[in-house]
Amino acid sequence: MSFEYIDNPIELVDAWLKEAKLSEISDYNAAALSTISISGKPQVRMVLIKAFDENGATFYTNLESQKGKALLYNKFASICFHWKSLGKQIRIEGEVEQVSNSLADKYFETRPRNSQVGAWASLQSKKLESREVLIDKVNQIERKFNGGKINRPSFWSGFLLIPNKIEFWVDGESRLHERVEYIKKGKSWKWSLLYP
């Protein structure tokens, strides 16, 4: 066996994230986020998972972006971590809920100032006439705050993905990968082996 089966898969996700942090060149917490658009079409993009614990996976975005609108419309989503350096992958499915304003504020304060300015300047996912327009908006925001504290914009927040299914995948020879699926039943988890 490539890993030990345990009752709580959250602990295993945490262990694999810590392992990936030591082996991945950058962005060990990058995950593909899959959503369903308002028109019912699948969408996927990479996001950085900023926290993972018993509650689930937390990430942040512009609420008016494609993913923000999709998540406010359809609360089901999934993420996938893949670490080539480890030959491991985790898929997580569940429902999302918007994080509290206080939590979003707290995280926003930890962002580099340039990223805070960027959150204000970017009309994420909307058509951009030219790169110069974006740079002009960045300069306008910097002048507006004039070196002072930058508060979180009301249109920028975070989401918590609350897992109800977690699948662990370990690369195997001859494509005989090892797959274990955990499904939440009430407050406990039940696991099953899956064919590769």
Side-chain angles (χ1 to χ4, degrees), residues 22-41:
L22 299 176
S23 67
E24 286 294 293
I25 295 172
S26 64
D27 294 337
Y28 74 97
N29 57 336
L33 168 68
S34 180
T35 59
I36 301 296
S37 72
I38 294 173
S39 60
K41 296 178 181 177

Side-chain angles (χ1 to χ4, degrees), residues 10-24 27-29 49 52-53 81 83 85-86 88 90 168:
I10 302 299
E11 295 174 10
L12 194 52
V13 174
D14 182 62
W16 282 22
L17 280 167
K18 287 175 179 171
E19 186 180 6
K21 189 174 184 178
L22 299 176
S23 67
E24 286 294 293
D27 294 337
Y28 74 97
N29 57 336
I49 303 301
F52 188 89
D53 56 26
F81 294 104
W83 303 291
S85 63
L86 299 176
K88 292 180 176 180
I90 302 175
F168 297 91

Side-chain angles (χ1 to χ4, degrees), residues 25-73:
I25 295 172
S26 64
D27 294 337
Y28 74 97
N29 57 336
L33 168 68
S34 180
T35 59
I36 301 296
S37 72
I38 294 173
S39 60
K41 296 178 181 177
Q43 300 173 324
V44 67
R45 80 289 285 159
M46 300 303 293
V47 297
L48 296 180
I49 303 301
K50 292 299 183 177
F52 188 89
D53 56 26
E54 287 289 339
N55 297 314
T58 305
F59 57 93
Y60 295 86
T61 189
N62 185 317
L63 298 177
E64 297 172 1
S65 65
Q66 287 181 0
K67 64 179 170 292
K69 289 179 179 178
L71 292 167
L72 291 170
Y73 177 76

Side-chain angles (χ1 to χ4, degrees), residues 128-145:
L128 175 63
E129 297 86 351
S130 68
R131 189 75 181 168
E132 289 73 25
V133 171
L134 176 60
I135 301 305
D136 286 345
K137 284 183 67 73
V138 166
N139 292 333
Q140 288 172 22
I141 297 300
E142 286 177 338
R143 286 194 298 272
K144 174 184 174 181
F145 288 102

